[in-house]
Amino acid sequence: MKKTALSRRSLLASALGLTLAGMIWPDLALAEDFKMGLLVPGSVSEEGWNRIGYNALKGVEDQLDAKISYVELQQNPASFEKAFRDYASQGYKVILGHGFEFQDAALEVALDYPDTYFLISSSSIHEGNVIGLNTDTSQPFYLMGVIAAKMGKKAGLVGGMEIPPIQQAFAGFKNGAKSVNPDFPISEAYIGNFTDTTAAKEAALSMISQGADFVVPNASGATVGGYQAIAESGPDVRSFSIFSDFTPVAPNNILGLYVADYAQGVVEVVRSIKDGSPPTENVVFGLKDPKVISFTLRDDGPVSVPEDIRAEVKAISEKVAAGEIKTGAD
Amino acid sequence: MEQVNQGVRENVYPQAAQALYRTLSQAAISAVTPIAAVLVALAFGAALLWLNGFNGTDVVTVMIFGSFQDARSVAEILLKATPLILIGAGLCVAFRCSIWNIGAEGQLYVGAIAATFVGTSIDGLSVWVHAPLVMLAGALAGAAWAGIAGYLKVRFQASEIVTTIMLNYIAIILTSYLVTGPMKDASAAYPQSARLVREAWTPRIVSDMRLHIGILVAVVLAVALYIFLQRSSRGFALRVVGLNPHAARYAGMDVRRNVMIAICISGALAGLAGAFEVAGVTHRLYQNISPGYGFEGIAVALLASNNPLAAIISGGLFATLRSGSEVLQITSQVPQVLVLVIQGMVILSVVAFAKFRDILRIAA
Amino acid sequence: MDDMMFLTFLATLVGAAWRLATPLIFASIGEVFSERAGVLNIGLEGTMLVGAFCGFATAFATGSILLGLLAGVGGGMLFGLVFAFFTITIKADQIVVGAALNLLGMGLTAFVFRTYYVSTGKGIEIAQPIHIPWLSDLPFLGEAFFRQNLIVYSTILVAILATLVLYRTSFGLTLRAVGEHPKAVDVAGRNVAAYRYAAVMVGTGLAGLGGAFLTLGHSNQFVEGITSGRGFIALAVVVFARWSPIGAFFVSLLFGLFYALQLMLQAQASIVVPYQVLQALPYLMTIVTLVVVRGKGAAPSKLGQPYEMR
């Protein structure tokens, strides 16, 4: 009791200076609305990771007639738990924490809100109402690696920061390439953030100058810089478009598109929650879920993958989907 | 200029009248001016919202009052205020001594690293020993990191503005290296350290809220620094060095020693803030442990006119705005970066109001 | 690495270093002007962001890179006007105002970008490298020096012009005097405030140009926080360069070199050093250099101090 009194006094003291007592939180939303909230670590305005989370939220709004809301937390761990709590206490049924870093906070809050489902992107957790959703990006990257090793001389990978979704993707690429040619040279560089398009561009340019003819950038908002480098280096440099469609940036270089419709995956998971049959284990999307992950090769571009390689890639893709080939690390 | 004026006044006014005058003027600075400045900044924010098709009044109804909906949300504000008050109060000391320590962000990071090291590598201590040990480690590391810049300044005349900025980058890169390498949690795929052992956690004030005793430590330290600066001979020496290093040297003061003390105090508080973020909030070290508290702390100190006591209020205010901007985005989808605009405007209006007040005083 | 590989590596390195240095060159030379007149603007980061955004938005609307660059300069100067008003006219503390402008620059550009450009996705056409007959085709040297766009080349011009203006014109002489002995300038009947305004305008205009280069001369997009700390690095460059425009040019190049080297060495599979060590290198080097070229004799004596007119 003493502790409580102490805290109340300090709370009062701080509130006093701003003379803000007596206001009541306007709670306008109706109880029966199905509501979903989203926590993203950065800005949804960039093509990249955060936009993917936002698109998932919009998908749920459109297809499941849900009320939605999102908050950008600027990678600030101190805010995670509060944001989860804000949503949960306002009756949100599903809250998506878009990134593994939200996991600890969700576990903490989930204990107090057993009726709310906490989905965590890029996580393999399943504890009660906290459910991890993972897109196995190593699978499409494995296919890219196969194509690169068959068609090219050297590959370059430009990453943002060394975080699991990116490490996992690059591991897939390397495993794919090595399955074709164990000595296929691949260089890798991290720019150390997700905003510096200039650095992403220069990193790609330097790889190209050192002989890389397959370059794949993967740096969220800064990714576009990598494609510019590729486009400026002429049609002999090949690439794949990842997450968003970057073909307008590098129309002469992109051989294929990996599009993750994470939104569709999330919509299905949320639908199952809405219908009262939530997932019983953590969810992993892969090539087995063509609605979620699609890897398509272009036919309309000036360059394209030859027929024989296409056939091989298709066969490998089917094996990956069936779980016969392991694409990721360890 | 403010400081130079004060220096002149010190000769003119008798001691008691001067103390009274200063107390009153500081009360004015720390109460009236910021409130008016905040109102202007909010009005600017409202106009910005309105011009861009949002509901302008949300700035007040949601951003400010929305942050105070219940005890828990107030506790969350205080949680955010903790590092801001610590860093802000510490920087007041450095700034008073005319040391432009821009490196609180880096000092926070090394504090967090040291705290994580102590909190994960030792086990079996009582909470009464381990939790304070973690805080001490953070403070010492922060002081040492700031001390590098201090040493380079006094020994090689290297500008601390530059060295502290460089040390920020180095500390952040070091953290990135540690959580992806040597300090990485072996059991997880993610770049994060292992969890601190429970005894190392900063005790909470109320068991079901995240608010920890860090806020009390912050307030106590801010008051202590105020007394230190205003009442102790060392504090007086620091201020004299800040006003006029040549005069200080002439008066027999060891300028170098005072510079080192001031910058290390500011570093210690920033490091302590880092320790609290790890031991009190996240319980793990991450790559982005701070959303820029070190830079916001600069603004907190400046808004407080380098008065550690006022830093308690300005730190609380900035935390309220930050918290409110998150609420505003949740309810009205207003981009959260609005908070930066309002914070910037708060500082500018405080500056403008302070000058306005000076003009009034001269006229009177 | 064999010799050919090594030469290619060097050529690419130098080319990349110059491009990466370009925004730093503009911003730091601008800041030299400002600081020579006694005005320390730590709001460079925010100013560069404003330049980057205004440049992008204008080029996006008009399709013209030239207009975009002008808008970048104009946006920077407009921001600089606010800075000058507060620090010179109101005589507020320069560090305080600079800190506020960093917040404002970051917040305003992100807020407006977020509100109007979120779903555009598509970028703009950027300035293309100039093909100089014969020179651009030289082996190695072509890659290193002669395949840049006009904005990159203009850094040389800016460095030379800045030096001439600062040391060979009466404007430059007076401007430097304003940073050293404002009283003397005042007594001589010149307006100290006007010179400081002019210096800040030059400084923020160039900072805006440096920001605009990022969106118009390098990547074709605005990304929130695209400057990624370059405004702060530019401040370090000025001190490192001992307040000389030519010095700022070469110190910026050195930074660009380290940055490029860091990115390129990471890509070398044979190098096993953690990439963070390479990333930290430029920052460590700055500190070491400050210690080696010790002394702050070159700093304008009235740096950071408002001037009270008689």
Side-chain angles (χ1 to χ4, degrees):
Chain A
M1 272 331 279
K2 199 179 172 198
K3 271 185 177 171
T4 319
L6 192 62
S7 83
R8 192 169 298 150
R9 197 176 310 143
S10 64
L11 301 188
L12 274 175
S14 82
L16 204 69
L18 292 148
T19 61
L20 297 167
M23 282 298 290
I24 297 160
W25 176 250
D27 193 5
L28 303 170
L30 298 169
E32 58 263 31
D33 282 337
F34 184 81
K35 292 191 287 189
M36 173 168 170
L38 167 72
L39 281 62
V40 283
S43 156
V44 301
S45 70
E46 294 147 13
E47 293 284 337
W49 175 251
N50 299 306
R51 176 72 73 81
I52 291 167
Y54 179 70
N55 287 343
L57 188 71
K58 293 297 279 184
V60 171
E61 180 185 38
D62 296 342
Q63 296 182 37
L64 302 179
D65 196 25
K67 278 212 179 313
I68 60 160
S69 166
Y70 71 95
V71 59
E72 295 162 349
L73 295 168
Q74 298 178 336
Q75 303 188 326
N76 174 9
S79 296
F80 296 172
E81 199 177 312
K82 169 173 185 290
F84 275 123
R85 239 174 242 288
D86 281 349
Y87 280 128
S89 64
Q90 289 176 45
Y92 280 72
K93 183 75 179 169
V94 178
I95 307 164
L96 173 60
H98 194 50
F100 70 91
E101 61 268 44
F102 292 105
Q103 189 173 299
D104 284 351
L107 284 171
E108 193 82 20
V109 179
L111 299 174
D112 297 341
Y113 297 94
D115 296 332
T116 303
Y117 286 89
F118 297 82
L119 306 179
I120 308 295
S121 296
S122 178
S123 152
S124 50
I125 195 172
H126 188 270
E127 272 187 52
N129 48 340
V130 182
I131 302 165
L133 309 179
N134 208 348
T135 311
D136 190 353
T137 43
S138 73
Q139 295 186 5
F141 272 77
Y142 186 91
L143 303 181
M144 294 176 207
V146 168
I147 298 172
K150 281 186 179 295
M151 291 178 67
K153 294 191 290 289
K154 187 180 178 188
L157 303 169
V158 179
M161 283 169 99
E162 205 174 352
I163 58 167
I166 291 175
Q167 288 170 314
Q168 185 192 38
F170 287 178
F173 189 97
K174 286 183 271 190
N175 289 337
K178 299 247 141 74
S179 77
V180 175
N181 172 7
D183 298 323
F184 188 72
I186 298 172
S187 57
E188 215 175 323
Y190 290 95
I191 59 169
N193 59 58
F194 294 112
T195 55
D196 198 341
T197 50
T198 312
K201 184 174 175 184
E202 290 297 346
L205 282 176
S206 82
M207 287 173 172
I208 293 164
S209 79
Q210 290 171 65
D213 56 358
F214 263 87
V215 177
V216 183
N218 188 357
S220 196
T223 303
V224 65
Y227 288 112
Q228 267 166 5
I230 293 160
E232 288 175 15
S233 301
D236 293 340
V237 180
R238 315 288 167 67
S239 187
F240 299 95
S241 176
I242 59 163
F243 297 127
S244 303
D245 184 0
F246 286 102
T247 42
V249 182
N252 299 326
N253 314 80
I254 287 175
L255 293 180
L257 284 82
Y258 155 45
V259 179
D261 195 352
Y262 188 61
Q264 206 47 49
V266 171
V267 167
E268 292 313 317
V269 172
V270 174
R271 191 195 304 277
S272 70
I273 291 171
K274 198 181 178 191
D275 297 343
S277 55
T280 51
E281 54 183 2
N282 65 309
V283 181
V284 180
F285 305 115
L287 290 170
K288 66 176 168 43
D289 309 289
K291 270 186 175 170
V292 183
I293 283 194
S294 78
F295 181 67
T296 50
L297 295 170
R298 272 175 85 198
D299 295 314
D300 56 333
V303 284
S304 64
V305 179
E307 279 310 319
D308 54 328
I309 299 181
R310 285 185 185 227
E312 277 181 70
V313 168
K314 188 161 185 291
I316 295 171
S317 173
E318 276 158 12
K319 279 189 186 162
V320 170
E324 290 166 31
I325 296 178
K326 228 181 139 337
T327 55
D330 50 60
Chain B
M1 264 352 263
E2 192 90 28
Q3 289 172 339
V4 176
N5 284 341
Q6 276 183 9
V8 175
R9 270 180 232 130
E10 254 157 52
N11 301 327
V12 177
Y13 288 73
Q15 198 70 30
Q18 180 201 332
L20 180 69
Y21 169 80
R22 190 180 300 135
T23 314
L24 285 179
S25 73
Q26 267 161 1
I29 288 168
S30 47
V32 179
T33 322
I35 290 175
V38 167
L39 290 178
V40 169
L42 288 178
F44 184 84
L48 190 68
L49 284 190
W50 181 72
L51 280 173
N52 290 287
F54 296 100
N55 184 354
T57 55
D58 275 357
V59 162
V60 178
T61 55
V62 181
M63 199 161 173
I64 299 296
F65 296 119
S67 312
F68 289 87
Q69 44 176 319
D70 55 22
R72 189 183 297 280
S73 48
V74 177
E76 288 291 337
I77 290 174
L78 294 178
L79 191 71
K80 287 193 173 73
T82 305
L84 293 178
I85 294 172
L86 281 170
I87 294 170
L91 288 179
C92 288
V93 176
F95 292 171
R96 273 292 179 89
C97 193
S98 281
I99 299 162
W100 294 108
N101 175 8
I102 314 291
E105 185 80 353
Q107 290 141 23
L108 183 153
Y109 271 87
V110 291
I113 292 171
T116 309
F117 181 75
V118 173
T120 53
S121 60
I122 309 173
D123 201 358
L125 295 179
S126 127
V127 65
W128 294 101
V129 180
H130 208 166
L133 204 59
V134 163
M135 298 177 209
L136 189 67
L140 285 178
W145 200 250
I148 297 174
Y151 177 75
L152 294 176
K153 182 183 172 71
V154 299
R155 178 75 180 74
F156 300 103
Q157 292 88 47
S159 158
E160 76 281 12
I161 297 182
V162 175
T163 52
T164 51
I165 290 173
M166 297 298 123
L167 287 167
N168 279 341
Y169 288 108
I170 295 170
I172 292 168
I173 291 169
L174 180 65
T175 309
S176 155
Y177 167 67
L178 289 173
V179 296
T180 53
M183 283 175 93
K184 183 169 173 251
D185 182 3
S187 65
Y190 315 120
Q192 60 187 23
S193 75
R195 228 166 207 235
L196 274 64
V197 299
R198 218 157 252 279
E199 291 75 25
W201 293 11
T202 310
R204 292 181 171 186
I205 294 174
V206 190
S207 65
D208 68 335
M209 286 186 203
R210 294 197 300 160
L211 185 63
H212 53 77
I213 60 167
I215 184 68
L216 305 177
V217 175
V219 169
V220 167
L221 282 178
V223 174
L225 286 184
Y226 172 78
I227 295 169
F228 166 76
L229 271 179
Q230 300 299 330
R231 297 279 173 270
S232 76
S233 57
R234 171 66 65 196
F236 177 71
L238 291 186
R239 284 187 290 138
V240 173
V241 169
L243 289 173
N244 189 340
H246 302 297
R249 200 171 288 122
Y250 193 70
M253 292 170 180
D254 186 340
V255 172
R256 294 178 166 195
R257 193 180 156 81
N258 284 306
V259 166
M260 282 303 284
I261 290 173
I263 198 166
C264 286
I265 287 177
S266 63
L269 267 78
L272 184 59
F276 280 136
E277 286 309 289
V278 166
V281 182
T282 63
H283 302 138
R284 287 182 198 275
L285 184 62
Y286 292 94
Q287 291 188 65
N288 299 293
I289 197 80
S290 160
Y293 284 138
F295 298 109
E296 213 167 317
I298 296 172
V300 167
L302 299 175
L303 183 56
S305 308
N306 299 337
N307 174 350
L309 215 50
I312 300 174
I313 297 168
S314 59
L317 171 72
F318 271 35
T320 307
L321 291 176
R322 191 174 262 280
S323 193
S325 71
E326 284 164 13
V327 177
L328 188 58
Q329 181 162 34
I330 289 178
T331 55
S332 314
Q333 302 297 297
V334 173
Q336 204 227 320
V337 286
L338 180 71
V339 68
L340 299 178
V341 179
I342 293 185
Q343 287 177 351
M345 282 307 294
V346 167
I347 300 176
L348 284 187
S349 343
V350 165
V351 168
F353 274 105
K355 289 296 159 184
F356 183 59
R357 202 194 52 224
D358 286 352
I359 293 165
L360 281 186
R361 190 186 296 143
I362 292 165
Chain C
M1 261 196 290
D2 57 41
D3 291 352
M4 278 293 282
M5 279 284 285
F6 184 66
L7 282 176
T8 317
F9 181 89
L10 271 187
T12 318
L13 180 68
V14 173
W18 196 0
R19 286 190 296 274
L20 287 168
T22 297
L24 292 177
I25 294 173
F26 287 132
S28 59
I29 289 180
E31 180 69 7
V32 165
F33 272 80
S34 197
E35 293 193 13
R36 279 288 182 146
V39 185
L40 175 64
N41 182 1
I42 70 160
L44 279 190
E45 178 82 357
T47 313
M48 289 180 81
L49 274 170
V50 169
F53 178 77
C54 291
F56 170 77
T58 307
F60 192 84
T62 63
S64 158
I65 295 174
L66 188 65
L67 283 178
L69 289 172
L70 286 175
V73 173
M77 289 172 93
L78 203 66
F79 218 55
L81 208 56
V82 177
F83 181 80
F85 175 75
F86 274 93
T87 55
I88 301 167
T89 305
I90 292 193
K91 299 189 181 66
D93 190 289
Q94 293 168 7
I95 305 249
V96 179
V97 180
L101 288 195
N102 277 336
L103 291 171
L104 275 178
M106 182 76 208
L108 280 175
T109 54
F111 185 88
V112 179
F113 179 73
R114 197 80 68 80
T115 312
Y116 294 104
Y117 296 89
V118 171
S119 51
T120 52
K122 207 164 174 306
I124 47 174
E125 283 291 318
I126 60 165
Q128 292 301 312
I130 311 275
H131 187 91
I132 310 169
W134 192 69
L135 283 178
S136 297
D137 301 323
L138 283 177
F140 308 118
L141 289 177
E143 168 74 36
F145 298 107
F146 302 110
R147 287 185 206 162
Q148 311 285 10
N149 62 37
L150 272 181
I151 312 176
V152 176
Y153 289 129
S154 74
T155 53
I156 299 179
L157 193 69
V158 167
I160 294 171
L161 268 180
T163 309
L164 290 179
V165 169
L166 208 52
Y167 296 102
R168 295 273 182 273
T169 64
S170 81
F171 170 77
L173 185 72
T174 316
L175 191 141
R176 284 183 292 138
V178 163
E180 300 285 351
H181 312 286
K183 232 171 253 170
V185 176
D186 198 2
V187 170
R190 302 239 173 113
N191 188 336
V192 172
Y195 274 91
R196 288 198 162 170
Y197 261 90
V200 169
M201 289 297 108
V202 172
T204 50
L206 282 174
L209 182 61
F213 167 76
L214 291 173
T215 46
L216 302 172
H218 206 284
S219 40
N220 69 342
Q221 283 271 6
F222 181 83
V223 174
E224 286 166 37
I226 189 168
T227 46
S228 303
R230 287 182 174 84
F232 292 109
I233 301 288
L235 287 175
V237 169
V238 174
V239 180
F240 195 153
R242 300 166 76 82
W243 294 270
S244 132
I246 290 291
F249 179 83
F250 285 109
V251 173
S252 298
L253 273 182
L254 190 66
F255 264 95
L257 194 71
F258 272 118
Y259 205 16
L261 190 66
Q262 179 265 113
L263 291 172
M264 290 179 72
L265 285 182
Q266 271 194 60
Q268 299 287 337
S270 54
I271 304 221
V272 287
V273 187
Y275 69 92
Q276 290 96 345
V277 173
L278 299 170
Q279 283 180 341
L281 216 57
Y283 310 120
L284 278 171
M285 275 305 300
T286 307
I287 294 179
V288 171
T289 320
L290 278 187
V291 169
V292 175
V293 296
R294 87 175 70 162
K296 57 174 197 175
S301 60
K302 293 290 182 284
L303 186 57
Q305 299 175 12
Y307 178 67
E308 298 286 356
M309 258 201 302
R310 312 283 89 207

